[in-house]
Amino acid sequence: MKRKFTAGLLAALMALMSLLPAAGGAEIVGRTADGYIHRYVADNGQEIFFASGTEEALVETGTDVNFDGHPDLAVVTILGASNAWYEFYLWEDGRYVYAERETDDIINYSLMDGKYLVSWSNDGNAGMLFHAQICRWDGNVLKTVRTMTSEEETVTLWEGDTMTTTVHLDRLHVTVREAAAEGEQVILWEKTYAPLPEDPAAFDEMDAHFKEGLADN
C-alpha cells in the first residue's frame, strides 16, 4: 500500500523532523514514573520546569504560536516515532507564562492563516487514521474550533440483550465536527470511504471540508 498523508499531517511531520535539543541552559533535575523533570533557562533568564518523556529537553524557541508578534516556547512532553506532544509558554510582559488550553492533546502542531493552531496526530495505517483539531486563542487560553477524526468504520448492532460490534478494516469513516454552545459539537460533514482511499483527491476532500468557511471567521 502506498503511503498517504493529508496536507495537515504532512506539515506536522515535517515540523516533527526539525526538532532539536534545547541549546545550553537545560538540565535534568528529577525523575517521574515514566520520564524526566527538566529545568530550562530561557533567553530572558527565566527558569522553566517541565516533565517530559525524553532525556533531552526539546524546546522550540522561534515560533510565535499565538500570533502576537513575540516568539513563544513550545515544549515537547512526549516524543514518539511519528507524534510529538506539546505544551506552550507564551511571552507576556517580559516573561513566559504557561498557556492554558481547552483542547485535546496538542500533537504535531502547525500554524495556519495567522490565527489558527492545527494539531494532527498520526494514529496508524500510514497516516490514514488520525485525529485533528483546529484551535484558536482566547487570550492565553487555547480553545478547539473544529475537529476531524479518521477511523476504521465501526458498526454496532443490538439483538435483544446482545450487542455486536464490527470493525471494518477496509473502510475509513471521517467526521468533521465544530464546537457549539455549552461545549457541544455539531457534525458538519462525514463520509465513509470504502475501500480505503488511494486517490490523493480523497485526502484533499477531507482537508477542504476540515477548513471550509474558516477564512470568513
Side-chain angles (χ1 to χ4, degrees), residues 27-175:
E27 63 175 334
I28 295 172
V29 295
R31 294 291 301 266
T32 65
D34 54 2
Y36 305 86
I37 299 174
H38 294 281
R39 169 184 171 271
Y40 171 74
V41 181
D43 53 1
N44 65 340
Q46 180 181 348
E47 294 183 338
I48 295 173
F49 296 85
F50 64 92
S52 172
T54 65
E55 188 170 0
E56 292 180 308
L58 299 176
V59 182
E60 297 177 8
T61 61
T63 304
D64 177 15
V65 298
N66 65 342
F67 312 105
D68 67 351
H70 299 281
D72 306 299
L73 302 180
V75 174
V76 176
T77 58
I78 303 174
L79 181 64
S82 56
N83 291 309
W85 281 253
Y86 287 87
E87 296 288 351
F88 302 112
Y89 291 82
L90 307 179
W91 181 258
E92 181 179 297
D93 298 327
R95 63 189 303 271
Y96 293 101
V97 178
Y98 177 74
E100 302 290 341
R101 57 183 175 85
E102 298 175 5
T103 69
D104 293 334
D105 290 337
I106 300 299
I107 304 173
N108 303 336
Y109 83 93
S110 61
L111 304 178
M112 184 179 76
D113 297 340
K115 56 184 175 181
Y116 296 110
L117 186 148
V118 182
S119 170
W120 203 301
S121 68
N122 180 352
D123 298 337
N125 204 350
M128 287 191 185
L129 306 178
F130 57 83
H131 175 268
Q133 55 185 335
I134 296 174
C135 310
R136 194 167 185 178
W137 294 96
D138 182 0
N140 284 345
V141 181
L142 190 62
K143 297 184 177 182
T144 300
V145 175
R146 189 173 291 179
T147 64
M148 178 165 63
T149 55
S150 172
E151 53 198 356
E152 290 148 342
E153 186 177 56
T154 301
V155 178
T156 300
L157 298 175
W158 282 93
E159 294 183 4
D161 295 330
T162 302
M163 181 183 73
T164 302
T165 299
T166 303
V167 179
H168 295 276
L169 302 180
D170 60 343
R171 300 180 186 178
L172 202 64
H173 188 77
V174 182
T175 308

Side-chain angles (χ1 to χ4, degrees), residues 4-19:
K4 298 292 182 179
F5 297 106
T6 64
L9 181 56
L10 181 59
L13 291 177
M14 290 177 64
L16 178 63
M17 293 172 62
S18 68
L19 283 176

Side-chain angles (χ1 to χ4, degrees), residues 188-215:
L188 297 182
W189 176 79
E190 61 181 331
K191 182 174 180 177
T192 296
Y193 294 87
L196 296 176
E198 288 287 336
D199 189 343
F203 299 93
D204 292 339
E205 179 183 40
M206 299 176 200
D207 202 55
H209 283 285
F210 188 37
K211 299 174 181 176
E212 185 177 12
L214 286 176

